[in-house]
Amino acid sequence: MTMQSFPLTRLRRNRFDDATRRLVAENRLSVDDLIWPIFIREGGGEPTEISAMPGVFRSGLDGLAKHVEEAAKLGIPALALFPATPAEKKNAQGTEALNPENLMCKAARLLKREFPQMALLGDVALDPYTDHGHDGLLVDGYVANDESVEVLVQQAVNQAEAGIDIIAPSDMMDGRIGEIRMALDEAGLINTRIMSYAAKYASAFYGPFRDAIGSSGALKGDKKTYQMNPANSDEALREVAMDIAEGADMVMVKPGMPYLDIIRRVKDRFEMPVFAYQVSGEYSMIMAAVRNGWLDHDKAVLESLLAFKRAGCSGVLSYFAVHAAKLLEG
Ligand SMILES: NCc1[nH]cc(CCC(=O)O)c1CC(=O)O
């Protein structure tokens, strides 16, 4: 890098006015970068607010089209669907995940009919459906890998057949991407995309989400035998490498803001479309500070999202997606 020293160079010159700052901006956030995660429950009535996530609602199937309308109008390209399964439909095997009439499948069919231009992400993992709250099947108290993969593959095909465009396995079992790709292809679903939660950490920041889908009370123990140790970074690259080799079209790092270093390493190494999940705890953290009058909501939201672009992301899953899209629209 050649550079004149001061006073020939004054880096503040390019920050002198708004026009120049806009011209030299290296990254930009646009509505095209946003994926909006939504929580769905059975039934009707007004959407119910999630207590630790002010401004985030669980929508009944009946009101779902209305709930999503604004996001569609704003041009948000994709939604990620998360079902809150009633306790009586949960069991140890999470069999409701395979029901073609489950909440996720019904929501997918409804949304594809109402908003065909929007891509739908389907989270593949058993935790919304198991009474123990784990993402896979328990064998002697351990989340068994290969047995879980067999079920996750069926869950993925079930979702894709209902209209889910992008299968997003969040379970962190080894080898599931390859098995899911083969099963989708065998079912003729060759264009169903896979966005793998490739580097997903065992994080404290998922707390409010587990309340939102009703798995927190149920969860026995933690997810440390399958989700990654927050201490590790090289291991994230191995996770991503394996998922790409198995057929992932896009990869994800999760959570977001505490793991921007991982995003950058993944982008530099693999030159793949990388996504981040700005998770529930990150949302709650910003909202809590805003509610205390400690942060400016709109500025904090846009800065937190732009940081993902700078780190190398193609896009971000964010509970702020609709609000951010409105701000970006001007
Ligand atoms: N497989 C479940 C799943 N999919 C997305 C999230 C978290 C999302 C968030 O916190 O916003 C989780 C929680 C978990 O792994 O326990």
Side-chain angles (χ1 to χ4, degrees), residues 54 281-297 300 320:
E282 298 175 66
Y283 177 90
S284 303
M285 206 161 54
I286 291 176
M287 289 306 285
V290 166
R291 292 203 148 191
N292 272 302
W294 296 337
L295 284 180
D296 178 294
H297 179 271
F320 291 119

PDB file of all heavy atoms in Angstrom, residues 54 281-297 300 320:
ATOM      1  N   PRO A  54     -39.446  -7.271  22.533  1.00  0.00           N
ATOM      2  CA  PRO A  54     -40.481  -6.274  22.243  1.00  0.00           C
ATOM      3  C   PRO A  54     -40.509  -5.933  20.750  1.00  0.00           C
ATOM      4  O   PRO A  54     -39.463  -5.715  20.144  1.00  0.00           O
ATOM      5  CB  PRO A  54     -40.061  -5.067  23.083  1.00  0.00           C
ATOM      6  CG  PRO A  54     -38.714  -5.359  23.639  1.00  0.00           C
ATOM      7  CD  PRO A  54     -38.477  -6.823  23.543  1.00  0.00           C
ATOM      8  N   GLY A 281     -31.073 -12.976  21.056  1.00  0.00           N
ATOM      9  CA  GLY A 281     -30.413 -12.284  22.158  1.00  0.00           C
ATOM     10  C   GLY A 281     -29.767 -10.977  21.721  1.00  0.00           C
ATOM     11  O   GLY A 281     -29.699 -10.009  22.488  1.00  0.00           O
ATOM     12  N   GLU A 282     -29.315 -10.931  20.476  1.00  0.00           N
ATOM     13  CA  GLU A 282     -28.743  -9.685  19.949  1.00  0.00           C
ATOM     14  C   GLU A 282     -29.851  -8.644  19.787  1.00  0.00           C
ATOM     15  O   GLU A 282     -29.663  -7.460  20.075  1.00  0.00           O
ATOM     16  CB  GLU A 282     -28.059  -9.934  18.602  1.00  0.00           C
ATOM     17  CG  GLU A 282     -26.891 -10.899  18.683  1.00  0.00           C
ATOM     18  CD  GLU A 282     -26.343 -11.203  17.289  1.00  0.00           C
ATOM     19  OE1 GLU A 282     -25.808 -10.290  16.645  1.00  0.00           O
ATOM     20  OE2 GLU A 282     -26.455 -12.361  16.843  1.00  0.00           O
ATOM     21  N   TYR A 283     -30.997  -9.113  19.316  1.00  0.00           N
ATOM     22  CA  TYR A 283     -32.156  -8.221  19.187  1.00  0.00           C
ATOM     23  C   TYR A 283     -32.556  -7.687  20.557  1.00  0.00           C
ATOM     24  O   TYR A 283     -32.718  -6.477  20.751  1.00  0.00           O
ATOM     25  CB  TYR A 283     -33.324  -8.992  18.541  1.00  0.00           C
ATOM     26  CG  TYR A 283     -34.597  -8.183  18.422  1.00  0.00           C
ATOM     27  CD1 TYR A 283     -34.845  -7.421  17.286  1.00  0.00           C
ATOM     28  CD2 TYR A 283     -35.550  -8.181  19.445  1.00  0.00           C
ATOM     29  CE1 TYR A 283     -36.007  -6.661  17.176  1.00  0.00           C
ATOM     30  CE2 TYR A 283     -36.711  -7.425  19.345  1.00  0.00           C
ATOM     31  CZ  TYR A 283     -36.940  -6.671  18.203  1.00  0.00           C
ATOM     32  OH  TYR A 283     -38.088  -5.925  18.097  1.00  0.00           O
ATOM     33  N   SER A 284     -32.694  -8.604  21.527  1.00  0.00           N
ATOM     34  CA  SER A 284     -33.151  -8.207  22.865  1.00  0.00           C
ATOM     35  C   SER A 284     -32.175  -7.231  23.513  1.00  0.00           C
ATOM     36  O   SER A 284     -32.580  -6.293  24.204  1.00  0.00           O
ATOM     37  CB  SER A 284     -33.293  -9.436  23.765  1.00  0.00           C
ATOM     38  OG  SER A 284     -34.173 -10.351  23.180  1.00  0.00           O
ATOM     39  N   MET A 285     -30.908  -7.466  23.285  1.00  0.00           N
ATOM     40  CA  MET A 285     -29.867  -6.620  23.870  1.00  0.00           C
ATOM     41  C   MET A 285     -30.010  -5.174  23.367  1.00  0.00           C
ATOM     42  O   MET A 285     -29.992  -4.227  24.154  1.00  0.00           O
ATOM     43  CB  MET A 285     -28.521  -7.200  23.417  1.00  0.00           C
ATOM     44  CG  MET A 285     -27.365  -6.934  24.281  1.00  0.00           C
ATOM     45  SD  MET A 285     -26.016  -8.120  23.932  1.00  0.00           S
ATOM     46  CE  MET A 285     -25.739  -7.975  22.186  1.00  0.00           C
ATOM     47  N   ILE A 286     -30.160  -5.029  22.072  1.00  0.00           N
ATOM     48  CA  ILE A 286     -30.315  -3.685  21.502  1.00  0.00           C
ATOM     49  C   ILE A 286     -31.615  -3.055  21.994  1.00  0.00           C
ATOM     50  O   ILE A 286     -31.643  -1.901  22.430  1.00  0.00           O
ATOM     51  CB  ILE A 286     -30.267  -3.732  19.956  1.00  0.00           C
ATOM     52  CG1 ILE A 286     -28.851  -4.098  19.496  1.00  0.00           C
ATOM     53  CG2 ILE A 286     -30.712  -2.394  19.347  1.00  0.00           C
ATOM     54  CD1 ILE A 286     -28.686  -4.269  17.992  1.00  0.00           C
ATOM     55  N   MET A 287     -32.689  -3.838  21.979  1.00  0.00           N
ATOM     56  CA  MET A 287     -33.981  -3.285  22.398  1.00  0.00           C
ATOM     57  C   MET A 287     -33.980  -2.882  23.876  1.00  0.00           C
ATOM     58  O   MET A 287     -34.588  -1.880  24.250  1.00  0.00           O
ATOM     59  CB  MET A 287     -35.107  -4.287  22.133  1.00  0.00           C
ATOM     60  CG  MET A 287     -35.429  -4.486  20.663  1.00  0.00           C
ATOM     61  SD  MET A 287     -35.781  -2.955  19.765  1.00  0.00           S
ATOM     62  CE  MET A 287     -37.425  -2.587  20.380  1.00  0.00           C
ATOM     63  N   ALA A 288     -33.303  -3.657  24.703  1.00  0.00           N
ATOM     64  CA  ALA A 288     -33.250  -3.331  26.128  1.00  0.00           C
ATOM     65  C   ALA A 288     -32.538  -1.998  26.332  1.00  0.00           C
ATOM     66  O   ALA A 288     -32.987  -1.147  27.111  1.00  0.00           O
ATOM     67  CB  ALA A 288     -32.551  -4.443  26.904  1.00  0.00           C
ATOM     68  N   ALA A 289     -31.448  -1.814  25.621  1.00  0.00           N
ATOM     69  CA  ALA A 289     -30.708  -0.558  25.750  1.00  0.00           C
ATOM     70  C   ALA A 289     -31.531   0.608  25.209  1.00  0.00           C
ATOM     71  O   ALA A 289     -31.553   1.691  25.789  1.00  0.00           O
ATOM     72  CB  ALA A 289     -29.368  -0.662  25.023  1.00  0.00           C
ATOM     73  N   VAL A 290     -32.233   0.367  24.098  1.00  0.00           N
ATOM     74  CA  VAL A 290     -33.090   1.418  23.530  1.00  0.00           C
ATOM     75  C   VAL A 290     -34.165   1.812  24.535  1.00  0.00           C
ATOM     76  O   VAL A 290     -34.428   2.994  24.769  1.00  0.00           O
ATOM     77  CB  VAL A 290     -33.734   0.930  22.210  1.00  0.00           C
ATOM     78  CG1 VAL A 290     -34.880   1.842  21.784  1.00  0.00           C
ATOM     79  CG2 VAL A 290     -32.687   0.826  21.108  1.00  0.00           C
ATOM     80  N   ARG A 291     -34.770   0.801  25.152  1.00  0.00           N
ATOM     81  CA  ARG A 291     -35.866   1.071  26.100  1.00  0.00           C
ATOM     82  C   ARG A 291     -35.393   1.812  27.346  1.00  0.00           C
ATOM     83  O   ARG A 291     -36.176   2.463  28.007  1.00  0.00           O
ATOM     84  CB  ARG A 291     -36.532  -0.238  26.493  1.00  0.00           C
ATOM     85  CG  ARG A 291     -37.262  -0.823  25.305  1.00  0.00           C
ATOM     86  CD  ARG A 291     -38.343  -1.751  25.748  1.00  0.00           C
ATOM     87  NE  ARG A 291     -39.438  -1.711  24.800  1.00  0.00           N
ATOM     88  CZ  ARG A 291     -40.619  -2.257  25.011  1.00  0.00           C
ATOM     89  NH1 ARG A 291     -40.854  -2.874  26.152  1.00  0.00           N
ATOM     90  NH2 ARG A 291     -41.548  -2.187  24.101  1.00  0.00           N
ATOM     91  N   ASN A 292     -34.125   1.659  27.657  1.00  0.00           N
ATOM     92  CA  ASN A 292     -33.565   2.405  28.778  1.00  0.00           C
ATOM     93  C   ASN A 292     -33.103   3.797  28.371  1.00  0.00           C
ATOM     94  O   ASN A 292     -32.569   4.535  29.199  1.00  0.00           O
ATOM     95  CB  ASN A 292     -32.378   1.642  29.365  1.00  0.00           C
ATOM     96  CG  ASN A 292     -32.825   0.663  30.434  1.00  0.00           C
ATOM     97  OD1 ASN A 292     -33.447   1.062  31.412  1.00  0.00           O
ATOM     98  ND2 ASN A 292     -32.528  -0.602  30.244  1.00  0.00           N
ATOM     99  N   GLY A 293     -33.244   4.102  27.086  1.00  0.00           N
ATOM    100  CA  GLY A 293     -32.794   5.393  26.600  1.00  0.00           C
ATOM    101  C   GLY A 293     -31.282   5.461  26.412  1.00  0.00           C
ATOM    102  O   GLY A 293     -30.703   6.538  26.296  1.00  0.00           O
ATOM    103  N   TRP A 294     -30.632   4.303  26.351  1.00  0.00           N
ATOM    104  CA  TRP A 294     -29.169   4.275  26.256  1.00  0.00           C
ATOM    105  C   TRP A 294     -28.654   4.213  24.827  1.00  0.00           C
ATOM    106  O   TRP A 294     -27.489   4.473  24.568  1.00  0.00           O
ATOM    107  CB  TRP A 294     -28.611   3.063  27.038  1.00  0.00           C
ATOM    108  CG  TRP A 294     -28.883   3.125  28.514  1.00  0.00           C
ATOM    109  CD1 TRP A 294     -29.134   4.252  29.256  1.00  0.00           C
ATOM    110  CD2 TRP A 294     -28.929   2.024  29.421  1.00  0.00           C
ATOM    111  NE1 TRP A 294     -29.325   3.904  30.570  1.00  0.00           N
ATOM    112  CE2 TRP A 294     -29.200   2.544  30.706  1.00  0.00           C
ATOM    113  CE3 TRP A 294     -28.756   0.641  29.272  1.00  0.00           C
ATOM    114  CZ2 TRP A 294     -29.311   1.733  31.841  1.00  0.00           C
ATOM    115  CZ3 TRP A 294     -28.863  -0.160  30.395  1.00  0.00           C
ATOM    116  CH2 TRP A 294     -29.141   0.392  31.664  1.00  0.00           C
ATOM    117  N   LEU A 295     -29.479   3.750  23.894  1.00  0.00           N
ATOM    118  CA  LEU A 295     -29.056   3.682  22.489  1.00  0.00           C
ATOM    119  C   LEU A 295     -30.146   4.296  21.623  1.00  0.00           C
ATOM    120  O   LEU A 295     -31.328   4.208  21.947  1.00  0.00           O
ATOM    121  CB  LEU A 295     -28.871   2.218  22.044  1.00  0.00           C
ATOM    122  CG  LEU A 295     -27.640   1.433  22.476  1.00  0.00           C
ATOM    123  CD1 LEU A 295     -27.717   0.022  21.899  1.00  0.00           C
ATOM    124  CD2 LEU A 295     -26.367   2.121  22.002  1.00  0.00           C
ATOM    125  N   ASP A 296     -29.724   4.850  20.498  1.00  0.00           N
ATOM    126  CA  ASP A 296     -30.679   5.334  19.494  1.00  0.00           C
ATOM    127  C   ASP A 296     -31.080   4.142  18.628  1.00  0.00           C
ATOM    128  O   ASP A 296     -30.234   3.529  17.965  1.00  0.00           O
ATOM    129  CB  ASP A 296     -30.008   6.421  18.642  1.00  0.00           C
ATOM    130  CG  ASP A 296     -30.924   6.935  17.546  1.00  0.00           C
ATOM    131  OD1 ASP A 296     -31.267   6.150  16.625  1.00  0.00           O
ATOM    132  OD2 ASP A 296     -31.299   8.110  17.605  1.00  0.00           O
ATOM    133  N   HIS A 297     -32.357   3.810  18.656  1.00  0.00           N
ATOM    134  CA  HIS A 297     -32.841   2.594  17.998  1.00  0.00           C
ATOM    135  C   HIS A 297     -32.422   2.510  16.528  1.00  0.00           C
ATOM    136  O   HIS A 297     -31.743   1.569  16.108  1.00  0.00           O
ATOM    137  CB  HIS A 297     -34.369   2.530  18.108  1.00  0.00           C
ATOM    138  CG  HIS A 297     -34.982   1.332  17.448  1.00  0.00           C
ATOM    139  ND1 HIS A 297     -35.369   1.328  16.132  1.00  0.00           N
ATOM    140  CD2 HIS A 297     -35.248   0.098  17.915  1.00  0.00           C
ATOM    141  CE1 HIS A 297     -35.858   0.133  15.818  1.00  0.00           C
ATOM    142  NE2 HIS A 297     -35.801  -0.629  16.893  1.00  0.00           N
ATOM    143  N   ALA A 300     -28.644   2.330  15.864  1.00  0.00           N
ATOM    144  CA  ALA A 300     -28.045   1.071  16.326  1.00  0.00           C
ATOM    145  C   ALA A 300     -28.428  -0.084  15.396  1.00  0.00           C
ATOM    146  O   ALA A 300     -27.600  -0.943  15.072  1.00  0.00           O
ATOM    147  CB  ALA A 300     -28.486   0.775  17.758  1.00  0.00           C
ATOM    148  N   PHE A 320     -34.970  -7.310  12.910  1.00  0.00           N
ATOM    149  CA  PHE A 320     -35.138  -5.897  12.565  1.00  0.00           C
ATOM    150  C   PHE A 320     -35.434  -5.710  11.078  1.00  0.00           C
ATOM    151  O   PHE A 320     -35.511  -4.568  10.607  1.00  0.00           O
ATOM    152  CB  PHE A 320     -33.857  -5.110  12.870  1.00  0.00           C
ATOM    153  CG  PHE A 320     -33.533  -4.963  14.345  1.00  0.00           C
ATOM    154  CD1 PHE A 320     -32.347  -5.477  14.856  1.00  0.00           C
ATOM    155  CD2 PHE A 320     -34.395  -4.280  15.195  1.00  0.00           C
ATOM    156  CE1 PHE A 320     -32.025  -5.317  16.200  1.00  0.00           C
ATOM    157  CE2 PHE A 320     -34.083  -4.121  16.538  1.00  0.00           C
ATOM    158  CZ  PHE A 320     -32.892  -4.639  17.050  1.00  0.00           C
TER     159      PHE A 320
END
